[in-house]
Amino acid sequence: MEITLAYFGLGLMVFLSGIGSAIGVSIGGQSTIGALKRKDDAFGNYMLLSALPSTQGLYGFASFYTINASGILTDGITMLQGAAILGAGIMMGGVGLISAIQQGKVCGNGINAIAGGHDVFGKTLILAVFPELYAIIAFAATFLINASL
């Protein structure tokens, strides 16, 4: 039972963060396709903004790897350790899911503004960092939970 909770938590952190990143980069990609019709010379900026939400999926995977490589996942795992890993998975996965989608929306709007002739690439990058910050905090919290096990 305890090991099942832990593996369920590991699955959630990768699964939910990955879904969020897939949705976020899709939002940016859809905006890029529309923007290319109006202004195709800014493709480099569009591509960078479209790729930003992919980092949450990486944080989810890095969290999984950190816990999986710690050696805690054995038959001797306690209920408290299994529950802690489940909690870390829910936290990392949920934050990664939502922050990636919201970051995708920020980047998509920035792409649309650039295509409209506005010079907002740098400002879009700055604003897109805010949702990213919470994914970084969730990753750090997962790291601290792992260290306390």
Side-chain angles (χ1 to χ4, degrees), residues 25 28-29 32 36 42-54 107 111 114 121:
V25 296
T32 295
L36 286 172
F43 179 70
N45 291 343
Y46 302 155
M47 185 176 64
L48 182 62
L49 291 173
S50 294
L52 276 181
S54 65
C107 292
I111 290 167
I114 293 169
F121 176 71

Side-chain angles (χ1 to χ4, degrees), residues 78-94:
T78 66
M79 178 61 84
L80 182 62
Q81 291 169 325
I85 294 171
L86 175 62
I90 292 169
M91 174 199 58
M92 183 65 240

